[in-house]
């Protein structure tokens, strides 16, 4: 499904999607961050919903996309830490 990302941070994002995503459902999100050449794919959980606007919290496993996730922190201007 296609969606429009509205806000992006190191912990989550807001997106607009014509879909019915229940609260708590887990989804995979793939996007091209600003100033990047490679797409990022992360797992997320739907935490908030207002009609077709969704608040997504990123779920990052300690061994998942470690290098890309550290680069992602520099994109958003924040230091990203992962629990082990």
């Amino acid at each position: 499904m296609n969606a429009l990302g509205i806000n992006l941070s190191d912990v989550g994002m807001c997106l607009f999607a014509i879909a019915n995503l229940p609260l708590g459902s887990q989804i995979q999100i793939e996007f091209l961050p600003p100033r990047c050449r490679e797409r990022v794919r992360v797992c997320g959980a739907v935490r908030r919903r207002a009609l077709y606007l969704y608040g997504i919290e990123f779920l990052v496993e300690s061994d998942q996309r470690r290098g890309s996730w550290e680069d992602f922190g520099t994109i958003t201007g924040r230091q990203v830490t992962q629990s082990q």
Side-chain angles (χ1 to χ4, degrees), residues 13-67:
M13 69 185 305
C14 179
L15 59 88
F16 174 83
I18 306 284
N20 184 16
L21 302 174
L23 292 178
S25 61
Q26 292 190 9
I27 61 174
Q28 284 193 0
I29 305 160
E30 183 177 291
F31 58 93
L32 184 64
R35 299 180 298 279
C36 286
R37 295 182 184 187
E38 292 186 33
R39 292 185 171 274
V40 173
R41 179 178 285 192
V42 294
C43 292
V46 177
R47 298 297 183 210
R48 304 229 187 272
R49 179 180 180 186
L51 294 178
Y52 297 116
L53 289 174
Y54 294 93
I56 308 297
E57 176 187 10
F58 295 144
L59 306 174
V60 180
E61 298 174 13
S62 60
D63 61 343
Q64 178 187 13
R65 311 217 29 95
R66 181 176 299 274

